[in-house]
Amino acid sequence: MAQQPPHIAIIGAGIFSRNTYIPRLAEISDLFVLRAIWTRGAVEIAKKFFPNVECKWGETGLSEIIDDVSIIGVAVVLAGQAQVEMSLRLLKGGKHVLQENYYQGLNIVAYSAVSELETAMSCYNSFNVAPIWAIAENYRFEPAFVEGRKLLSEVGDIINVHTIIEGSMNISNPYFSSSWRRSFEGGFILDMGVHFIAGLRMLVGCEITSVSALTSHVDGTLPPPDNISSTIQLENGSSGVFVMVVSSKSPKVLWRVVGLKGTIQVERGNIDGKHGYTVMLFTGDGGNKSWFYPFSGVTDELKTFLADTSLATMKKDQSFPVEHRLSFLEGARDVAVLEAMLESGRRQGATVQLARYRANLSAVSLDTVAYVTPYS
């Protein structure tokens, strides 16, 4: 007998839920059944694609989703500060969770001994059955970074890496007026930057061991800081820079890895009306090749979560390791780098080591949210 598609729910009706999650889920609607959406704010949009979806709200509606044994997976797409508490409640109720934002709620700073992370993971590990706890970080699923990583052997030993981010967070951007993104230290640097760090770590295939950064606040319409310039040290011995400006009149998003035998470049752009990334390989003989990959990270990420939840449900104890790109630990490491940069900025460029943070993370039992190195 063919396995039935998993039944899932969505918690949240913010901008990303309405504009991205629901439309992307509609593209793969043959892979699952959307049973419920918790909020009134997005039900009309959801019903355009999923006419049978039930609208839930309030404490009663949330309890109904948790008590519904047919719903095995939930996408939590709330304001960052509410993510962890909601995820833990759903996990305790036996639901597999795809948590959209990692950082707030776990206010991880390089010198905080990750106490909040340890508290959350201790709570998670106390559950009799620990479902999948996945952290959405769609850049790791973008084909440009997957394919760019495969090209690393073509450029030889890494000499230098640099990431240049000139964003366009202004009044025309739908996220500009988002209040929750303005209510924590780091603001858009942390909210946006964690994705760019994920892309960087995916591309270079090794960890960042230390950073030294300077930050400042120039644009008064944005929360501080609104720009950051950081040097980074990689565990392979090479170094580089990470520069991010939250709002620029001439946006640019670029990663570049310079090696002994060539260079890899990944740059965001638009070709024939499709938004995505161009991957370029420059070789030592003066040649170059390029490939364009349209955005598909969110869709591929959702497909992976749905597949993992189905496989986990087939096992009676639900013990199934989530795909490494969705792992809780990968999200933690992305945030650790940004928090270390912000910490360094507060200390006028002092070097901040990430080794201690990673050691603490390694001591945290992840159980079913298993970390499998993506770089081997």
Side-chain angles (χ1 to χ4, degrees), residues 145-159:
F145 292 100
V146 175
E147 298 304 317
R149 174 67 185 89
K150 294 176 182 177
L151 294 172
L152 198 62
S153 61
E154 300 287 326
V155 301
D157 293 339
I158 296 175
I159 301 171

Side-chain angles (χ1 to χ4, degrees), residues 168-233:
S168 57
M169 185 53 63
N170 53 51
I171 196 169
S172 65
N173 191 301
Y175 296 97
F176 179 79
S177 300
S178 175
S179 59
W180 73 263
R181 290 177 172 87
R182 294 172 173 269
S183 62
F184 59 90
E185 187 175 1
F188 289 110
I189 288 283
L190 187 55
D191 177 49
M192 297 162 58
V194 69
H195 301 294
F196 306 126
I197 293 296
L200 173 61
R201 291 181 57 243
M202 178 79 173
L203 196 58
V204 299
C206 67
E207 296 298 339
I208 297 169
T209 58
S210 67
V211 301
S212 174
L214 294 174
T215 60
S216 62
H217 187 210
V218 179
D219 188 342
T221 68
L222 297 166
D226 65 345
N227 67 91
I228 188 167
S229 299
S230 178
T231 58
I232 60 174
Q233 182 71 46

Side-chain angles (χ1 to χ4, degrees), residues 152 154-160 257-263 282-284:
L152 198 62
E154 300 287 326
V155 301
D157 293 339
I158 296 175
I159 301 171
N160 187 266
V257 181
V258 181
L260 282 173
K261 298 189 296 183
T263 297
F282 302 90
T283 55

Side-chain angles (χ1 to χ4, degrees), residues 86-106:
M86 177 63 76
S87 293
L88 287 171
R89 181 171 178 183
L90 292 162
L91 289 161
K92 186 176 182 179
K95 310 301 182 188
H96 301 296
V97 170
L98 177 64
Q99 180 181 314
E100 175 54 32
N101 292 312
Y102 174 85
Y103 29 90
Q104 288 306 113
L106 293 179

Side-chain angles (χ1 to χ4, degrees), residues 60-372:
T60 298
L62 183 60
S63 295
E64 289 174 351
I65 289 174
I66 293 173
D67 293 340
D68 188 338
V69 294
S70 70
I71 297 175
I72 66 170
V74 181
V76 178
V77 199
L78 297 171
Q81 293 90 333
Q83 292 269 346
V84 172
E85 181 180 359
M86 177 63 76
S87 293
L88 287 171
R89 181 171 178 183
L90 292 162
L91 289 161
K92 186 176 182 179
K95 310 301 182 188
H96 301 296
V97 170
L98 177 64
Q99 180 181 314
E100 175 54 32
N101 292 312
Y102 174 85
Y103 29 90
Q104 288 306 113
L106 293 179
N107 186 21
I108 299 173
V109 181
Y111 288 91
S112 70
V114 293
S115 59
E116 291 183 67
L117 171 61
E118 291 172 343
T119 298
M121 290 308 300
S122 176
C123 180
Y124 172 67
N125 290 329
S126 71
F127 302 153
N128 291 329
V129 175
I132 287 173
W133 189 359
I135 303 299
E137 181 45 84
N138 54 74
Y139 276 43
R140 268 189 275 276
F141 286 84
E142 290 293 350
F145 292 100
V146 175
E147 298 304 317
R149 174 67 185 89
K150 294 176 182 177
L151 294 172
L152 198 62
S153 61
E154 300 287 326
V155 301
D157 293 339
I158 296 175
I159 301 171
N160 187 266
V161 300
H162 55 270
T163 302
I164 307 297
I165 309 297
E166 299 173 8
S168 57
M169 185 53 63
N170 53 51
I171 196 169
S172 65
N173 191 301
Y175 296 97
F176 179 79
S177 300
S178 175
S179 59
W180 73 263
R181 290 177 172 87
R182 294 172 173 269
S183 62
F184 59 90
E185 187 175 1
F188 289 110
I189 288 283
L190 187 55
D191 177 49
M192 297 162 58
V194 69
H195 301 294
F196 306 126
I197 293 296
L200 173 61
R201 291 181 57 243
M202 178 79 173
L203 196 58
V204 299
C206 67
E207 296 298 339
I208 297 169
T209 58
S210 67
V211 301
S212 174
L214 294 174
T215 60
S216 62
H217 187 210
V218 179
D219 188 342
T221 68
L222 297 166
D226 65 345
N227 67 91
I228 188 167
S229 299
S230 178
T231 58
I232 60 174
Q233 182 71 46
L234 302 180
E235 66 181 355
N236 64 11
S238 62
S239 61
V241 296
F242 177 91
V243 177
M244 181 176 174
V245 177
V246 173
S247 185
S248 168
K249 297 298 183 183
S250 55
K252 178 178 282 293
V253 177
L254 172 76
W255 294 258
R256 194 170 169 91
V257 181
V258 181
L260 282 173
K261 298 189 296 183
T263 297
I264 299 169
Q265 178 173 299
V266 179
E267 183 170 8
R268 184 179 295 181
N270 184 314
I271 294 182
D272 297 330
K274 294 183 178 180
H275 294 275
Y277 297 97
T278 296
V279 178
M280 299 191 72
L281 173 64
F282 302 90
T283 55
D285 59 3
N288 67 80
K289 299 177 182 179
S290 66
W291 304 264
F292 180 75
Y293 300 95
F295 292 146
S296 68
V298 174
T299 303
D300 294 344
E301 175 183 76
L302 290 168
K303 286 180 179 178
T304 301
F305 176 71
L306 291 168
D308 282 357
T309 56
S310 294
L311 290 171
T313 303
M314 291 173 63
K315 301 184 69 173
K316 291 182 179 180
D317 60 356
Q318 293 188 339
S319 58
F320 183 83
V322 67
E323 215 266 22
H324 66 79
R325 289 175 293 173
L326 284 172
S327 77
F328 194 93
L329 183 52
E330 283 294 278
R333 286 173 166 165
D334 294 335
V335 177
V337 175
L338 255 298
E339 288 281 16
M341 289 180 182
L342 291 168
E343 173 69 14
S344 177
R346 288 189 288 267
R347 298 168 56 198
Q348 292 76 51
T351 298
V352 174
Q353 303 288 335
L354 281 92
R356 178 169 176 264
Y357 180 90
R358 292 206 315 275
N360 284 334
L361 274 181
S362 299
V364 177
S365 173
L366 295 175
D367 290 349
T368 58
V369 185
Y371 176 69
V372 181

Side-chain angles (χ1 to χ4, degrees), residues 3-10 25 28-37 49-54 68 70-74 306 309-310:
Q3 183 182 355
Q4 295 298 311
H7 289 210
I8 68 168
I10 298 175
L25 283 169
I28 55 173
S29 59
D30 59 316
L31 302 179
F32 68 98
V33 174
L34 182 61
R35 284 290 307 279
I37 182 166
F49 303 104
F50 306 98
N52 296 321
V53 66
E54 297 180 38
D68 188 338
S70 70
I71 297 175
I72 66 170
V74 181
L306 291 168
T309 56
S310 294

